[in-house]
Amino acid sequence: MLDLSPWPGLTLGNRLGGGHRNAVYEVDGPTRLIARRSLRTSDALAWELDLLDFLASYDFIVPATVPTVDGRRSVDGILVQTWVDGHPPEGDDWTIVARELVRLHRLTAGWSTQRPGFSSTQDLLTELYGGDVNLRVMPADVVRLCRQAWGGLPDVPLAVIHGDPGGANIRIQSGRVGFIDWDESRIDHPDLDLVEIPDGPLTSHRLTMALAAIDAWETACGWAIEPAYARQRLDSLRQRVGN
């Protein structure tokens, strides 16, 4: 359970679905809120919250952080944020989801300050760690396949990506798009955000390369924490690259 005593007047409600890496709860208070415990380092969490403030200033719909009574944004990894209304995307909604992701990538293209403790797929061509990835614990042949896939991505500016823009993390409200759960956000290749969008903007060879790259990313991220899922994605990766 989460200790909300630094936020007087708030009461922890039911645990919500999703949030595979972090516990997320509804909060009873004067407005609809959520609380979650982040397992990221304090520097990585601060980077995420700074990002959300920045995006809100550019009219992105994202959760706002509710400070404690003494002004802190989080306490021991626990934070409270506003609820983002809306419904998951369906049908033509995905067109505006893709458009908003492209706007995110264009706005942040060329950012040089990586999220502390994280690495992009391009960094991982030579580095071993970053975020949930630890290539050192993976078999050498699997590391080789992952790096082969990441190395096939086109040479475009890296940007801030959401990192997990599936339907569960998107809210459609009055024709606009809101994004929640920025736990996997980082600087990385923009195609990783776009590749699994239904009827998304990637086509032809670029789509083929991105599908392999996202399989490799999911394999590497899940290797230690979701092994069964990681091996499913590895099977898909092997089919894509012919190994």
Side-chain angles (χ1 to χ4, degrees):
M1 299 294 287
L2 307 186
D3 177 13
L4 295 186
S5 59
W7 291 267
L10 301 185
T11 304
L12 201 64
N14 294 325
R15 183 164 181 171
L16 300 173
H20 295 114
R21 292 173 175 83
N22 305 300
V24 182
Y25 292 83
E26 192 163 1
V27 171
D28 297 323
T31 60
R32 200 173 187 187
L33 304 168
I34 66 101
R36 68 180 174 99
R37 183 194 301 277
S38 174
L39 300 180
R40 304 301 184 189
T41 65
S42 58
D43 286 346
L45 180 56
W47 185 96
E48 176 188 333
L49 300 183
D50 288 344
L51 170 66
L52 295 182
D53 289 344
F54 172 78
L55 294 178
S57 73
Y58 280 86
D59 203 30
F60 283 86
I61 299 176
V62 295
T65 304
V66 178
T68 64
V69 68
D70 59 0
R72 290 174 291 173
R73 296 190 296 181
S74 65
V75 180
D76 297 328
I78 299 172
L79 62 154
V80 175
Q81 294 179 304
T82 55
W83 182 277
V84 177
D85 284 321
H87 61 83
E90 53 189 22
D92 292 342
D93 292 336
W94 287 106
T95 299
I96 59 174
V97 170
R99 187 183 307 138
E100 194 72 341
L101 287 171
V102 169
R103 185 166 79 95
L104 165 68
H105 303 153
R106 288 175 176 167
L107 176 64
T108 61
W111 271 32
S112 59
T113 305
Q114 178 61 279
R115 187 173 185 176
F118 280 65
S119 297
S120 70
T121 49
Q122 305 310 291
D123 295 329
L124 289 168
L125 296 177
T126 55
E127 297 179 8
L128 294 172
Y129 306 99
D132 296 316
V133 174
N134 180 359
L135 298 182
R136 193 181 294 275
V137 304
M138 298 168 61
D141 65 313
V142 177
V143 174
R144 177 182 59 80
L145 282 178
C146 289
R147 285 176 164 168
Q148 178 182 340
W150 297 330
L153 290 168
D155 185 14
V156 300
L158 302 187
V160 170
I161 67 170
H162 178 277
D164 189 17
N169 292 331
I170 299 171
R171 298 290 181 267
I172 305 297
Q173 48 175 272
S174 302
R176 297 195 62 204
V177 182
F179 293 102
I180 62 174
D181 191 358
W182 290 77
D183 180 66
E184 297 184 52
S185 58
R186 60 191 184 277
I187 295 175
D188 212 327
H189 200 288
D191 288 5
L192 298 174
D193 261 355
L194 301 171
V195 62
E196 294 181 317
I197 299 295
D199 299 317
L202 303 184
T203 58
S204 189
H205 179 71
R206 185 161 177 172
L207 175 60
T208 299
M209 295 298 98
L211 286 168
I214 197 65
D215 276 341
W217 179 260
E218 294 296 321
T219 297
C221 282
W223 195 263
I225 59 179
E226 297 179 274
Y229 173 69
R231 282 158 179 79
Q232 289 177 2
R233 297 302 292 250
L234 176 59
D235 288 343
S236 177
L237 174 61
R238 283 178 168 147
Q239 292 175 17
R240 294 190 194 284
V241 300
N243 287 284

